[in-house]
Amino acid sequence: MNARFQTPRGTEDVLPEDQPRWRLIEAAAGETARLFGYERIDTPSFEAAALFEKGTGDTTDIVEKEMYAFEDRGGEALSLTPEATPAICRAWLEHGMASRPQPVRLYATARMFRYSRPQLGRLRQFTQFDCEAIGSAGALADAELIELNWRLYERLGLRDLEVRLGSIDDIGPRRAYLERLRAHYRPLRERLSPDSQRRLERNPLRLLDSNDERDRELREGAPAIVDQLSEDAAAHFAAVREALDAAGVPHVVDPLLVRGLDYYNRTVWEIAPTGDGRAQSSIGAGGRYDGLMETLGGPPTPAVGFATGLERIVIEMKRQGVDAPAPPAPDAFVAHAGEGAARAAVRAASRLRACGIAAVTGEAGRSLRAQLRRANASGARVAVIIGAEELARGTAAIKDLRGDGGQEEAPLDELAARIAGAQAPPAPHWRHG
RNA sequence: GUGGGCGUAGCGUAGUGGUUAACGCGUCAGGUUGUGGCCCUGAAGAUCGAGGGUUCAAAUCCCUCCGUCCACCCCA
Protein backbone atom coordinates (compact mmCIF):
# COMPACT_ATOMS: atom_id res chain seq x y z
CA MET A 1 0.00 0.00 0.00
CA ASN A 2 2.97 2.24 0.47
CA ALA A 3 3.56 2.66 -3.22
CA ARG A 4 0.01 3.79 -3.82
CA PHE A 5 -0.70 7.38 -4.57
CA GLN A 6 -2.72 9.40 -2.14
CA THR A 7 -4.12 12.90 -2.14
CA PRO A 8 -1.40 15.44 -1.50
CA ARG A 9 -1.19 16.66 2.05
CA GLY A 10 -4.00 19.01 2.91
CA THR A 11 -6.22 18.04 -0.03
CA GLU A 12 -9.24 15.79 -0.13
CA ASP A 13 -11.53 13.97 -2.51
CA VAL A 14 -15.22 14.80 -2.32
CA LEU A 15 -16.77 11.35 -2.68
CA PRO A 16 -20.21 10.67 -4.18
CA GLU A 17 -21.78 10.33 -0.73
CA ASP A 18 -20.69 13.86 0.16
CA GLN A 19 -21.75 15.39 -3.14
CA PRO A 20 -25.37 16.08 -2.17
CA ARG A 21 -24.19 18.40 0.62
CA TRP A 22 -21.76 20.16 -1.68
CA ARG A 23 -24.34 20.63 -4.40
CA LEU A 24 -26.82 21.90 -1.83
CA ILE A 25 -24.35 24.46 -0.51
CA GLU A 26 -23.38 25.65 -3.96
CA ALA A 27 -26.99 25.96 -5.00
CA ALA A 28 -27.90 27.79 -1.79
CA ALA A 29 -24.95 30.13 -2.23
CA GLY A 30 -25.89 30.94 -5.81
CA GLU A 31 -29.52 31.45 -4.92
CA THR A 32 -28.75 33.64 -1.91
CA ALA A 33 -26.42 35.73 -4.03
CA ARG A 34 -29.12 36.09 -6.66
CA LEU A 35 -31.64 37.27 -4.07
CA PHE A 36 -29.27 40.07 -3.15
CA GLY A 37 -28.49 41.00 -6.75
CA TYR A 38 -24.98 39.57 -6.92
CA GLU A 39 -23.66 38.29 -10.23
CA ARG A 40 -21.24 35.45 -10.66
CA ILE A 41 -17.67 35.96 -11.75
CA ASP A 42 -14.98 33.32 -12.24
CA THR A 43 -11.34 34.27 -12.05
CA PRO A 44 -8.29 32.09 -12.77
CA SER A 45 -6.82 29.63 -10.29
CA PHE A 46 -3.52 31.48 -10.51
CA GLU A 47 -2.55 35.10 -10.87
CA ALA A 48 0.56 37.24 -10.87
CA ALA A 49 2.21 36.65 -7.51
CA ALA A 50 2.60 40.40 -7.12
CA LEU A 51 -1.18 40.82 -7.05
CA PHE A 52 -1.29 39.17 -3.64
CA GLU A 53 2.01 40.57 -2.43
CA LYS A 54 0.56 44.04 -2.94
CA GLY A 55 -3.10 43.33 -2.32
CA THR A 56 -3.15 40.86 0.51
CA GLY A 57 -0.04 42.42 1.99
CA ASP A 58 3.49 41.10 1.93
CA THR A 59 3.76 41.06 5.71
CA THR A 60 0.73 38.82 6.15
CA ASP A 61 1.22 35.15 6.90
CA ILE A 62 -0.76 34.31 3.79
CA VAL A 63 1.83 35.93 1.56
CA GLU A 64 4.89 35.48 3.71
CA LYS A 65 4.65 31.78 4.31
CA GLU A 66 1.54 30.29 2.75
CA MET A 67 1.54 31.24 -0.93
CA TYR A 68 1.93 28.61 -3.59
CA ALA A 69 4.20 30.91 -5.55
CA PHE A 70 6.15 29.65 -8.52
CA GLU A 71 7.76 30.63 -11.74
CA ASP A 72 6.27 29.12 -14.84
CA ARG A 73 8.37 27.87 -17.72
CA GLY A 74 8.42 31.29 -19.23
CA GLY A 75 9.71 32.89 -16.06
CA GLU A 76 6.42 34.52 -14.98
CA ALA A 77 6.12 34.94 -11.21
CA LEU A 78 2.73 33.42 -10.44
CA SER A 79 0.81 32.20 -7.45
CA LEU A 80 -2.14 29.91 -6.94
CA THR A 81 -4.91 32.12 -5.55
CA PRO A 82 -4.72 32.18 -1.76
CA GLU A 83 -7.81 34.38 -1.50
CA ALA A 84 -10.37 35.77 -3.89
CA THR A 85 -10.64 39.46 -3.06
CA PRO A 86 -7.52 40.76 -4.85
CA ALA A 87 -8.35 38.65 -7.89
CA ILE A 88 -11.86 40.05 -8.10
CA CYS A 89 -10.52 43.58 -7.68
CA ARG A 90 -8.04 42.91 -10.45
CA ALA A 91 -10.92 41.82 -12.69
CA TRP A 92 -12.91 44.91 -11.75
CA LEU A 93 -10.00 47.09 -12.80
CA GLU A 94 -9.03 45.09 -15.86
CA HIS A 95 -12.53 45.16 -17.32
CA GLY A 96 -13.29 48.76 -16.52
CA MET A 97 -16.12 47.93 -14.19
CA ALA A 98 -15.87 51.45 -12.82
CA SER A 99 -18.09 52.35 -15.74
CA ARG A 100 -20.80 49.93 -14.70
CA PRO A 101 -23.52 51.01 -12.29
CA GLN A 102 -21.97 51.17 -8.82
CA PRO A 103 -21.70 49.30 -6.63
CA VAL A 104 -20.75 46.27 -8.67
CA ARG A 105 -21.99 43.21 -6.83
CA LEU A 106 -20.03 40.06 -7.57
CA TYR A 107 -19.75 36.56 -6.20
CA ALA A 108 -17.55 33.57 -6.88
CA THR A 109 -17.13 30.00 -5.71
CA ALA A 110 -13.59 28.85 -6.25
CA ARG A 111 -10.70 26.80 -4.96
CA MET A 112 -8.11 28.59 -2.88
CA PHE A 113 -4.62 27.42 -2.04
CA ARG A 114 -2.56 28.09 1.05
CA TYR A 115 0.48 26.21 2.22
CA SER A 116 -0.35 25.83 5.89
CA ARG A 117 -0.32 22.98 8.34
CA PRO A 118 -3.54 21.04 7.76
CA GLN A 119 -6.11 20.62 10.48
CA LEU A 120 -9.80 19.85 10.52
CA GLY A 121 -11.37 22.66 8.52
CA ARG A 122 -8.04 23.92 7.32
CA LEU A 123 -6.81 22.47 4.07
CA ARG A 124 -4.18 23.48 1.59
CA GLN A 125 -6.72 23.40 -1.18
CA PHE A 126 -10.10 24.61 -0.06
CA THR A 127 -13.22 26.14 -1.51
CA GLN A 128 -14.63 29.55 -0.79
CA PHE A 129 -17.88 31.28 -1.61
CA ASP A 130 -16.95 34.92 -1.90
CA CYS A 131 -19.07 38.05 -2.28
CA GLU A 132 -17.87 41.58 -2.95
CA ALA A 133 -19.70 44.90 -3.29
CA ILE A 134 -17.31 47.24 -5.02
CA GLY A 135 -17.92 50.96 -5.25
CA SER A 136 -20.06 51.59 -2.21
CA ALA A 137 -18.87 53.51 0.83
CA GLY A 138 -22.17 53.30 2.69
CA ALA A 139 -22.81 51.30 5.82
CA LEU A 140 -25.76 49.66 4.11
CA ALA A 141 -23.34 47.74 1.91
CA ASP A 142 -21.54 46.31 4.95
CA ALA A 143 -24.83 45.26 6.49
CA GLU A 144 -26.00 43.80 3.19
CA LEU A 145 -22.96 41.53 2.95
CA ILE A 146 -23.28 40.42 6.56
CA GLU A 147 -26.94 39.68 5.99
CA LEU A 148 -26.18 37.76 2.79
CA ASN A 149 -23.58 35.71 4.63
CA TRP A 150 -26.03 35.08 7.46
CA ARG A 151 -28.96 34.14 5.21
CA LEU A 152 -26.86 31.56 3.44
CA TYR A 153 -26.31 29.64 6.67
CA GLU A 154 -29.94 30.13 7.60
CA ARG A 155 -31.06 28.73 4.26
CA LEU A 156 -28.84 25.70 4.82
CA GLY A 157 -30.53 25.03 8.14
CA LEU A 158 -27.52 25.82 10.31
CA ARG A 159 -28.31 26.88 13.87
CA ASP A 160 -26.44 28.29 16.86
CA LEU A 161 -24.26 30.62 14.86
CA GLU A 162 -23.15 34.04 15.92
CA VAL A 163 -22.17 37.17 14.02
CA ARG A 164 -19.26 38.85 15.75
CA LEU A 165 -18.83 42.41 14.67
CA GLY A 166 -16.06 44.91 15.14
CA SER A 167 -14.48 47.98 13.63
CA ILE A 168 -10.80 48.63 13.18
CA ASP A 169 -11.27 52.26 12.07
CA ASP A 170 -9.59 53.88 9.08
CA ILE A 171 -5.87 53.72 8.44
CA GLY A 172 -4.90 57.08 9.95
CA PRO A 173 -6.83 56.88 13.20
CA ARG A 174 -5.85 53.25 13.53
CA ARG A 175 -2.17 54.18 13.46
CA ALA A 176 -2.75 56.59 16.28
CA TYR A 177 -4.66 53.95 18.20
CA LEU A 178 -1.93 51.37 17.67
CA GLU A 179 0.56 53.79 19.17
CA ARG A 180 -1.61 54.15 22.25
CA LEU A 181 -1.87 50.38 22.41
CA ARG A 182 1.88 49.94 22.16
CA ALA A 183 2.33 52.59 24.82
CA HIS A 184 0.17 50.51 27.12
CA TYR A 185 2.17 47.35 26.54
CA ARG A 186 5.75 48.58 26.21
CA PRO A 187 6.37 48.89 29.94
CA LEU A 188 5.03 45.35 30.34
CA ARG A 189 7.01 43.93 27.49
CA GLU A 190 9.14 41.54 29.51
CA ARG A 191 6.10 39.95 31.08
CA LEU A 192 4.36 39.20 27.77
CA SER A 193 4.38 35.78 26.15
CA PRO A 194 7.17 35.33 23.57
CA ASP A 195 4.61 35.38 20.76
CA SER A 196 3.18 38.62 21.97
CA GLN A 197 6.57 40.25 22.38
CA ARG A 198 6.99 39.71 18.67
CA ARG A 199 3.47 40.95 17.96
CA LEU A 200 4.03 44.15 19.89
CA GLU A 201 5.73 45.94 17.02
CA ARG A 202 4.45 43.87 14.16
CA ASN A 203 0.76 43.42 14.80
CA PRO A 204 -0.22 44.86 18.18
CA LEU A 205 -3.94 44.24 17.64
CA ARG A 206 -3.17 40.59 18.13
CA LEU A 207 -2.07 41.21 21.68
CA LEU A 208 -5.67 41.70 22.64
CA ASP A 209 -7.03 38.35 21.58
CA SER A 210 -4.08 36.27 22.74
CA ASN A 211 -5.09 33.13 24.60
CA ASP A 212 -1.97 33.14 26.73
CA GLU A 213 -2.61 33.61 30.46
CA ARG A 214 0.26 36.08 30.81
CA ASP A 215 -1.12 38.28 28.04
CA ARG A 216 -4.66 38.13 29.39
CA GLU A 217 -3.64 39.60 32.71
CA LEU A 218 -1.74 42.43 31.11
CA ARG A 219 -4.72 43.29 28.93
CA GLU A 220 -6.23 45.04 31.93
CA GLY A 221 -6.62 48.71 31.06
CA ALA A 222 -5.60 48.32 27.43
CA PRO A 223 -7.63 50.55 25.11
CA ALA A 224 -10.16 48.75 22.86
CA ILE A 225 -10.37 50.13 19.37
CA VAL A 226 -14.16 50.01 19.11
CA ASP A 227 -14.34 52.37 22.10
CA GLN A 228 -12.02 54.91 20.51
CA LEU A 229 -13.17 55.07 16.92
CA SER A 230 -12.78 58.25 14.93
CA GLU A 231 -15.99 60.19 14.47
CA ASP A 232 -16.59 58.97 10.91
CA ALA A 233 -15.82 55.36 11.66
CA ALA A 234 -17.98 55.43 14.78
CA ALA A 235 -20.93 56.80 12.82
CA HIS A 236 -20.37 54.21 10.12
CA PHE A 237 -20.21 51.41 12.67
CA ALA A 238 -23.42 52.58 14.32
CA ALA A 239 -25.13 52.71 10.93
CA VAL A 240 -24.04 49.16 10.14
CA ARG A 241 -25.49 47.92 13.40
CA GLU A 242 -28.69 49.82 12.82
CA ALA A 243 -29.09 48.31 9.36
CA LEU A 244 -28.45 44.84 10.77
CA ASP A 245 -31.15 45.42 13.34
CA ALA A 246 -33.49 46.54 10.60
CA ALA A 247 -32.73 43.39 8.65
CA GLY A 248 -33.23 41.27 11.74
CA VAL A 249 -29.71 39.88 11.78
CA PRO A 250 -28.57 39.21 15.34
CA HIS A 251 -25.01 40.20 16.12
CA VAL A 252 -22.68 40.87 19.00
CA VAL A 253 -19.94 43.46 19.11
CA ASP A 254 -16.58 41.82 19.72
CA PRO A 255 -14.05 44.47 20.73
CA LEU A 256 -11.23 41.98 20.28
CA LEU A 257 -12.13 40.96 16.77
CA VAL A 258 -9.13 41.32 14.51
CA ARG A 259 -8.69 40.34 10.91
CA GLY A 260 -5.35 39.24 9.62
CA LEU A 261 -5.41 40.85 6.24
CA ASP A 262 -3.72 44.21 5.80
CA TYR A 263 -6.37 45.78 3.65
CA TYR A 264 -9.31 45.83 6.03
CA ASN A 265 -10.61 49.04 7.51
CA ARG A 266 -13.69 49.91 9.52
CA THR A 267 -16.16 47.04 9.62
CA VAL A 268 -14.88 43.52 10.19
CA TRP A 269 -16.91 40.46 11.13
CA GLU A 270 -16.88 36.75 11.43
CA ILE A 271 -19.56 34.14 11.83
CA ALA A 272 -18.89 31.10 13.97
CA PRO A 273 -20.75 28.46 15.97
CA THR A 274 -21.66 29.81 19.40
CA GLY A 275 -19.33 28.61 22.07
CA ASP A 276 -17.11 26.53 19.84
CA GLY A 277 -13.62 26.76 21.22
CA ARG A 278 -11.87 25.39 18.18
CA ALA A 279 -9.30 27.76 16.81
CA GLN A 280 -10.46 27.52 13.22
CA SER A 281 -14.16 27.37 13.93
CA SER A 282 -15.24 30.50 12.09
CA ILE A 283 -17.02 29.53 8.91
CA GLY A 284 -17.34 32.93 7.33
CA ALA A 285 -15.61 36.28 7.69
CA GLY A 286 -15.29 39.56 5.91
CA GLY A 287 -14.78 43.27 6.14
CA ARG A 288 -14.48 46.58 4.40
CA TYR A 289 -11.41 47.33 2.32
CA ASP A 290 -11.61 50.88 1.03
CA GLY A 291 -7.89 51.16 0.32
CA LEU A 292 -7.30 47.99 -1.66
CA MET A 293 -8.24 49.20 -5.09
CA GLU A 294 -5.78 52.07 -4.83
CA THR A 295 -3.10 49.75 -3.58
CA LEU A 296 -3.59 47.78 -6.77
CA GLY A 297 -3.10 50.90 -8.86
CA GLY A 298 -6.74 51.74 -9.41
CA PRO A 299 -8.83 54.78 -8.49
CA PRO A 300 -9.86 55.18 -4.84
CA THR A 301 -12.82 52.82 -4.60
CA PRO A 302 -14.60 51.77 -1.44
CA ALA A 303 -15.55 48.12 -1.19
CA VAL A 304 -16.66 45.45 1.21
CA GLY A 305 -16.84 41.68 1.01
CA PHE A 306 -16.64 38.33 2.73
CA ALA A 307 -15.61 34.74 2.17
CA THR A 308 -16.95 31.53 3.63
CA GLY A 309 -15.29 28.13 3.49
CA LEU A 310 -17.37 25.36 1.98
CA GLU A 311 -15.40 22.62 3.70
CA ARG A 312 -16.10 24.30 7.03
CA ILE A 313 -19.79 24.57 6.20
CA VAL A 314 -19.81 20.85 5.40
CA ILE A 315 -18.18 20.10 8.75
CA GLU A 316 -20.71 22.25 10.57
CA MET A 317 -23.63 20.66 8.71
CA LYS A 318 -22.41 17.23 9.72
CA ARG A 319 -21.92 18.35 13.30
CA GLN A 320 -25.45 19.66 13.41
CA GLY A 321 -26.88 16.66 11.61
CA VAL A 322 -28.05 18.67 8.61
CA ASP A 323 -28.51 16.34 5.67
CA ALA A 324 -28.93 17.00 2.01
CA PRO A 325 -31.38 15.13 -0.20
CA ALA A 326 -29.74 12.26 -2.04
CA PRO A 327 -30.04 12.29 -5.81
CA PRO A 328 -32.89 10.12 -7.07
CA ALA A 329 -32.16 6.47 -7.76
CA PRO A 330 -32.35 5.27 -11.35
CA ASP A 331 -35.88 4.56 -12.57
CA ALA A 332 -35.14 1.25 -14.25
CA PHE A 333 -32.54 -1.47 -14.03
CA VAL A 334 -32.26 -3.55 -17.19
CA ALA A 335 -31.23 -7.12 -16.43
CA HIS A 336 -30.49 -9.53 -19.22
CA ALA A 337 -29.40 -13.12 -19.70
CA GLY A 338 -28.47 -15.26 -22.63
CA GLU A 339 -27.19 -14.89 -26.17
CA GLY A 340 -28.30 -11.73 -27.90
CA ALA A 341 -30.05 -10.37 -24.83
CA ALA A 342 -27.24 -7.94 -24.07
CA ARG A 343 -27.80 -6.24 -27.38
CA ALA A 344 -31.52 -5.92 -26.73
CA ALA A 345 -30.82 -4.62 -23.24
CA VAL A 346 -28.49 -1.92 -24.49
CA ARG A 347 -31.06 -0.85 -27.02
CA ALA A 348 -33.90 -0.87 -24.48
CA ALA A 349 -31.91 1.15 -21.93
CA SER A 350 -30.93 3.60 -24.60
CA ARG A 351 -34.55 4.17 -25.60
CA LEU A 352 -35.65 4.61 -22.02
CA ARG A 353 -33.02 7.30 -21.48
CA ALA A 354 -34.13 9.07 -24.62
CA CYS A 355 -37.53 9.33 -22.93
CA GLY A 356 -35.99 10.77 -19.79
CA ILE A 357 -36.10 7.52 -17.84
CA ALA A 358 -32.85 6.85 -15.99
CA ALA A 359 -31.81 3.33 -16.88
CA VAL A 360 -28.88 1.23 -15.69
CA THR A 361 -27.91 -2.02 -17.34
CA GLY A 362 -26.86 -5.21 -15.58
CA GLU A 363 -23.42 -6.73 -15.97
CA ALA A 364 -23.16 -9.16 -18.87
CA GLY A 365 -22.34 -12.69 -17.74
CA ARG A 366 -23.77 -12.31 -14.26
CA SER A 367 -26.65 -14.46 -13.19
CA LEU A 368 -30.09 -12.97 -13.28
CA ARG A 369 -30.18 -13.27 -9.57
CA ALA A 370 -27.00 -11.29 -9.15
CA GLN A 371 -28.35 -8.63 -11.46
CA LEU A 372 -31.61 -8.37 -9.58
CA ARG A 373 -29.76 -8.05 -6.32
CA ARG A 374 -27.93 -5.18 -7.89
CA ALA A 375 -31.22 -3.77 -9.13
CA ASN A 376 -32.65 -3.89 -5.65
CA ALA A 377 -29.62 -2.24 -4.11
CA SER A 378 -29.67 0.49 -6.75
CA GLY A 379 -33.07 1.64 -5.53
CA ALA A 380 -34.54 1.40 -9.02
CA ARG A 381 -38.33 1.45 -9.18
CA VAL A 382 -38.56 -1.32 -11.74
CA ALA A 383 -36.40 -4.04 -13.18
CA VAL A 384 -36.64 -4.73 -16.89
CA ILE A 385 -35.81 -8.36 -17.57
CA ILE A 386 -34.78 -9.60 -20.97
CA GLY A 387 -34.03 -13.31 -21.24
CA ALA A 388 -34.10 -15.80 -24.07
CA GLU A 389 -37.89 -16.23 -23.90
CA GLU A 390 -38.64 -12.51 -23.94
CA LEU A 391 -36.09 -11.99 -26.66
CA ALA A 392 -37.85 -14.55 -28.82
CA ARG A 393 -41.16 -12.75 -28.32
CA GLY A 394 -39.71 -9.29 -28.74
CA THR A 395 -40.80 -8.38 -25.23
CA ALA A 396 -39.40 -7.71 -21.79
CA ALA A 397 -40.69 -8.37 -18.30
CA ILE A 398 -41.25 -5.34 -16.13
CA LYS A 399 -40.89 -6.15 -12.47
CA ASP A 400 -42.03 -3.80 -9.74
CA LEU A 401 -39.25 -3.59 -7.18
CA ARG A 402 -41.08 -1.35 -4.72
CA GLY A 403 -44.09 -3.55 -4.04
CA ASP A 404 -44.48 -7.28 -3.93
CA GLY A 405 -42.48 -7.88 -7.06
CA GLY A 406 -45.32 -8.47 -9.49
CA GLN A 407 -44.36 -8.39 -13.12
CA GLU A 408 -45.95 -7.82 -16.48
CA GLU A 409 -44.72 -8.41 -19.99
CA ALA A 410 -44.52 -5.62 -22.54
CA PRO A 411 -43.34 -5.32 -26.14
CA LEU A 412 -39.86 -3.80 -26.28
CA ASP A 413 -41.05 -0.67 -28.03
CA GLU A 414 -43.68 0.03 -25.41
CA LEU A 415 -41.30 -0.14 -22.45
CA ALA A 416 -40.92 3.58 -21.99
CA ALA A 417 -44.64 4.22 -22.05
CA ARG A 418 -45.33 1.45 -19.54
CA ILE A 419 -42.57 2.47 -17.19
CA ALA A 420 -43.26 6.17 -17.43
CA GLY A 421 -46.73 5.29 -16.17
CA ALA A 422 -47.74 8.02 -13.76
CA GLN A 423 -44.46 9.87 -13.98
CA ALA A 424 -44.39 13.23 -15.72
CA PRO A 425 -43.27 13.41 -19.34
CA PRO A 426 -39.62 14.31 -19.64
CA ALA A 427 -38.63 17.84 -20.49
CA PRO A 428 -36.48 18.22 -23.59
CA HIS A 429 -32.88 18.76 -22.59
CA TRP A 430 -31.64 20.04 -25.87
CA ARG A 431 -32.90 21.17 -29.18
CA HIS A 432 -31.33 21.43 -32.58
CA GLY A 433 -31.03 25.01 -33.79
C1' G B 1 6.90 26.94 11.43
C1' U B 2 6.54 24.77 17.14
C1' G B 3 4.60 20.94 20.57
C1' G B 4 1.54 16.55 21.33
C1' G B 5 -2.09 12.19 20.22
C1' C B 6 -3.21 8.59 16.58
C1' G B 7 -2.28 5.26 11.91
C1' U B 8 -4.51 -3.00 11.60
C1' A B 9 -8.69 -5.35 4.57
C1' G B 10 -13.04 -0.28 1.03
C1' C B 11 -15.38 1.36 6.10
C1' G B 12 -15.82 0.51 11.57
C1' U B 13 -13.09 -2.27 15.11
C1' A B 14 -10.32 -6.64 18.07
C1' G B 15 -5.52 -8.25 18.89
C1' U B 16 -0.05 -4.73 22.88
C1' G B 17 6.56 -9.52 21.88
C1' G B 18 5.52 -16.08 20.18
C1' U B 19 1.51 -20.95 15.47
C1' U B 20 -1.64 -19.53 8.55
C1' A B 21 -3.59 -11.32 12.08
C1' A B 22 -9.78 -11.89 14.08
C1' C B 23 -14.94 -9.84 13.80
C1' G B 24 -18.99 -6.73 11.77
C1' C B 25 -20.54 -3.93 7.45
C1' G B 26 -19.52 -3.80 2.31
C1' U B 27 -17.85 -6.64 -2.35
C1' C B 28 -18.14 -11.32 -5.31
C1' A B 29 -20.22 -16.23 -5.75
C1' G B 30 -23.54 -20.24 -4.35
C1' G B 31 -28.15 -21.96 -1.79
C1' U B 32 -33.39 -21.46 -7.54
C1' U B 33 -32.77 -25.30 -15.07
C1' G B 34 -33.96 -17.43 -15.71
C1' U B 35 -36.05 -13.54 -10.74
C1' G B 36 -34.45 -8.69 -5.76
C1' G B 37 -35.31 -7.58 -0.42
C1' C B 38 -34.78 -11.57 4.83
C1' C B 39 -31.85 -15.77 5.86
C1' C B 40 -27.78 -19.44 5.19
C1' U B 41 -22.89 -21.02 3.05
C1' G B 42 -18.39 -19.86 0.85
C1' A B 43 -14.62 -16.71 -1.45
C1' A B 44 -11.73 -12.60 -2.41
C1' G B 45 -9.55 -8.65 0.10
C1' A B 46 -4.13 -6.59 5.01
C1' U B 47 3.77 -7.37 3.08
C1' C B 48 -0.67 -4.42 10.39
C1' G B 49 1.10 3.79 6.94
C1' A B 50 6.57 3.46 4.89
C1' G B 51 11.78 2.55 5.81
C1' G B 52 15.43 1.13 9.26
C1' G B 53 16.82 -1.00 14.11
C1' U B 54 16.46 -4.23 18.84
C1' U B 55 15.20 -9.60 19.51
C1' C B 56 15.67 -16.62 18.53
C1' A B 57 10.81 -14.12 17.47
C1' A B 58 7.76 -7.45 16.19
C1' A B 59 1.08 -5.29 14.32
C1' U B 60 3.04 -5.09 19.45
C1' C B 61 9.56 -2.14 21.67
C1' C B 62 13.07 2.00 19.52
C1' C B 63 14.43 5.67 15.51
C1' U B 64 13.34 8.35 10.97
C1' C B 65 9.85 9.65 7.36
C1' C B 66 4.67 10.08 5.51
C1' G B 67 -0.40 10.95 6.64
C1' U B 68 -4.14 12.51 9.99
C1' C B 69 -6.17 14.87 14.38
C1' C B 70 -5.40 18.44 18.49
C1' A B 71 -3.10 22.81 20.73
C1' C B 72 -0.14 27.07 19.22
C1' C B 73 0.73 30.47 14.88
C1' C B 74 -2.67 32.04 11.37
C1' C B 75 -7.10 31.80 8.83
C1' A B 76 -12.52 30.53 5.46
Side-chain angles (χ1 to χ4, degrees), chain A residues 9 35 68 103 139 146 165 170 187-188 221 276 303 338 366 376 398 415:
Chain A
R9 183 169 203 203
L35 286 173
Y68 275 94
I146 296 170
L165 193 62
D170 290 309
L188 312 168
D276 187 322
R366 288 205 186 161
N376 186 62
I398 300 172
L415 280 180

Side-chain angles (χ1 to χ4, degrees), chain A residues 135-194:
Chain A
S136 175
L140 261 41
D142 308 45
E144 172 179 287
L145 268 305
I146 296 170
E147 186 190 354
L148 199 173
N149 194 178
W150 180 255
R151 299 289 177 225
L152 168 60
Y153 305 141
E154 209 172 52
R155 171 179 284 262
L156 288 170
L158 255 22
R159 287 170 289 107
D160 301 322
L161 299 178
E162 186 175 76
V163 178
R164 298 173 194 146
L165 193 62
S167 175
I168 55 172
D169 216 322
D170 290 309
I171 297 268
R174 182 162 71 234
R175 260 192 215 121
Y177 163 79
L178 292 179
E179 265 324 303
R180 270 173 275 149
L181 189 60
R182 286 199 185 93
H184 168 84
Y185 277 111
R186 276 210 188 93
L188 312 168
R189 184 182 178 109
E190 298 308 313
R191 293 159 61 195
L192 287 166
S193 68

Side-chain angles (χ1 to χ4, degrees), chain A residues 185-418:
Chain A
Y185 277 111
R186 276 210 188 93
L188 312 168
R189 184 182 178 109
E190 298 308 313
R191 293 159 61 195
L192 287 166
S193 68
D195 271 336
S196 284
Q197 292 190 20
R198 239 183 317 107
R199 285 190 277 236
L200 184 52
E201 298 310 321
R202 186 82 174 268
N203 192 0
L205 278 177
R206 283 281 164 198
L207 286 164
L208 295 172
D209 70 343
S210 169
N211 291 318
D212 195 289
E213 265 311 312
R214 290 166 287 186
D215 301 335
R216 282 174 176 249
E217 284 173 26
L218 300 175
R219 196 162 70 206
E220 189 79 14
I225 192 165
V226 281
D227 298 331
Q228 311 201 347
L229 294 177
S230 61
E231 203 176 316
D232 289 349
H236 189 269
F237 191 49
V240 171
R241 301 187 57 195
E242 201 178 310
L244 284 176
D245 288 338
V249 177
H251 58 279
V252 298
V253 172
D254 182 349
L256 303 182
L257 186 63
V258 172
R259 300 273 81 218
L261 306 178
D262 282 1
Y263 51 64
Y264 283 127
N265 68 304
R266 296 200 179 182
T267 320
V268 292
W269 74 89
E270 67 179 26
I271 301 181
T274 343
D276 187 322
R278 270 157 53 247
Q280 69 285 5
S281 63
S282 97
I283 59 178
R288 176 162 280 283
Y289 52 94
D290 295 332
L292 178 55
M293 209 60 89
E294 251 182 304
T295 305
L296 296 179
T301 310
V304 54
F306 75 88
T308 180
L310 298 222
E311 288 83 359
R312 289 189 182 180
I313 294 176
V314 169
I315 291 166
E316 195 54 26
M317 286 174 80
K318 286 181 177 172
R319 259 167 38 107
Q320 296 194 14
V322 178
D323 287 319
D331 302 302
F333 188 101
V334 185
H336 54 96
E339 280 293 299
R343 195 184 157 81
V346 168
R347 189 185 314 220
S350 191
R351 279 199 203 166
L352 290 178
R353 294 178 196 126
C355 295
I357 298 170
V360 173
T361 52
E363 288 290 298
R366 288 205 186 161
S367 70
L368 214 45
R369 171 149 82 146
Q371 292 184 60
L372 284 167
R373 277 182 173 159
R374 237 323 51 80
N376 186 62
S378 78
R381 202 173 76 250
V382 298
V384 172
I385 303 169
I386 305 176
E389 294 170 21
E390 290 83 0
L391 195 58
R393 289 196 289 268
T395 64
I398 300 172
K399 183 183 182 71
D400 173 23
L401 293 175
R402 294 285 164 81
D404 59 1
Q407 29 186 109
E408 55 173 342
E409 197 163 344
L412 282 170
D413 50 15
E414 287 175 25
L415 280 180
R418 294 283 191 95

